[in-house]
DNA sequence: CCTACCGATCGGTAGG
DNA sequence: CCTACCGATCGGTAGG
């Protein structure tokens, strides 16, 4: 009888030996979404993957939405820091702008599950107090203002310019994550693709009147 | 007793008096997604809304995914025809290009449920034989080639240019549909916003070297 | 297109 | 953090 009382799943749990169930649940959620799709996400399955009973998650999250909010927050934080990293490598304002966009697309593709939670229509509440979100956009607006001052970007409403940048990279990221692009389009790699597309926006498609 | 045998829901069903349950199920799916979100979509609830038993839909769709494929097909058809309509109104190639993008965004916002099904990660199969999908992209590539010939758009790979256009309008549409934009950004109306953003891509953000 | 039924999963809570 | 339980919903099928 005593033998049967030996703790099971010690190996699994040891990864979270600090008792950080909360983080284990976030990780399990992402793995589940990545493997089975968003529709497969349930608190019970997440608990199962984390090696606890299905009642345990309620100690950390009030409900499913609260868990998703935490996942989204984690995602926005990671994405913003990724963008900052890549931008810090560049010297000129316009290169920082490009790096910012490439980082956005790369993050989305490399963390598709995070990306889906961050931007999916999952939340009933505005998800307002997420400073990380505004942060990323503010980062972009700042880079544009800097580029304008340096004479590398046209004068104009930086908010509207930022929205164009955001739309382009968000659209490209979404199409990639949702598998809408042909293999040929992605053949050269995501980074190169993102760079090319960003440059098309910076340069513009219209032929300059002065031929 | 005979009184109790009177047909119920005759009024509801009369809208589909031709017995077009298939279409009724598609409509019910869209209404359900629009009202309750994608997560609320179940074959049983769709059947309920269409006024039939939950076993009836299987006469028309093998499973949930088959229903969604049909919804997506309907969406791609409607979107492509909307784009063609709006483009037909314009005289110059570059205006047709702009109209094409504005139509894309307007369709997405006005038919958010369709848009979500069309581009969501819901299908296990590639959804290949959807000519409508390719059609819309071909429409865009054609408009770009035409604009290049007219000297209104820079020479270059029309596929890459088309991807930039698609990314921008798809990103803007996604951000709008998923409620990521502030009310101020949308204050002037979706059509005006889409037009402005499209023009930013055509014109480019980078300052022309000749100041 | 319906009735009746299957096994399975879910969110959530009581009580410890 | 667990056991045990609740009501509810689901996808799918048999058989008519």
């Amino acid at each position: 009888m005593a033998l049967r009382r030996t703790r099971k799943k010690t190996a699994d749990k040891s990864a979270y030996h600090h008792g950080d169930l909360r983080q284990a649940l976030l990780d399990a959620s992402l793995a589940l979404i990545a493997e089975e799709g968003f529709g497969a996400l349930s608190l019970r399955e997440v608990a199962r993957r984390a090696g606890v009973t299905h009642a345990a998650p309620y100690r950390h999250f009030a409900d499913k939405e609260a868990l998703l909010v935490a996942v989204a927050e984690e995602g926005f934080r990671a994405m913003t820091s990724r963008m900052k990293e890549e931008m810090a490598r560049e010297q000129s304002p316009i290169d920082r702008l490009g790096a910012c966009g490439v980082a956005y697309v790369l993050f989305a593709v490399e963390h598709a599950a995070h990306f889906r939670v961050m931007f999916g229509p999952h939340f009933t509440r505005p998800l307002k107090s997420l400073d990380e979100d505004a942060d990323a956009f503010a980062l972009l607006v700042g880079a544009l203002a800097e580029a304008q001052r340096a004479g590398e970007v046209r004068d104009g409403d930086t908010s509207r310019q930022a929205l164009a940048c955001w739309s382009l990279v968000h659209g490209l990221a979404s199409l990639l994550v949702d598998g809408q692009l042909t293999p040929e389009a992605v053949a050269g790699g995501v980074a190169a693709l993102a760079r090319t597309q960003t440059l098309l926006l910076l340069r513009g498609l219209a032929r300059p009147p002065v031929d």
Side-chain angles (χ1 to χ4, degrees), chain A residues 15-36:
Chain A
Y16 302 98
H17 56 285
H18 292 119
D20 196 351
L21 176 58
R22 187 191 144 92
Q23 187 60 47
L25 293 169
L26 296 182
D27 295 350
S29 301
L30 288 168
L32 178 55
I33 293 170
E35 289 168 28
E36 314 278 347

Side-chain angles (χ1 to χ4, degrees), chain A residues 55-116:
Chain A
Y58 291 94
R59 297 275 301 172
H60 298 272
F61 302 103
D63 53 24
K64 196 172 168 178
E65 180 161 348
L67 195 169
L68 285 178
V69 168
V71 171
E73 284 175 346
E74 189 185 43
F76 279 116
R77 244 186 306 275
M79 179 179 234
T80 304
S81 93
R82 172 73 178 267
M83 285 165 63
K84 283 180 182 162
E85 272 178 38
E86 301 284 345
M87 287 171 78
R89 288 214 179 87
E90 303 294 337
Q91 305 303 328
S92 73
I94 201 150
D95 285 340
R96 272 194 284 279
L97 212 47
C100 176
V102 174
Y104 190 99
V105 177
L106 282 178
F107 176 88
V109 170
E110 291 169 11
H111 304 88
H114 254 134
F115 187 75
R116 286 214 177 96

Side-chain angles (χ1 to χ4, degrees), chain A residues 98-136:
Chain A
C100 176
V102 174
Y104 190 99
V105 177
L106 282 178
F107 176 88
V109 170
E110 291 169 11
H111 304 88
H114 254 134
F115 187 75
R116 286 214 177 96
V117 175
M118 291 158 67
F119 294 105
H122 312 299
F123 307 113
T124 55
R125 275 292 157 200
L127 193 57
K128 271 265 170 116
S129 54
L130 264 187
D131 297 287
E132 276 61 48
D133 187 5
D135 242 23

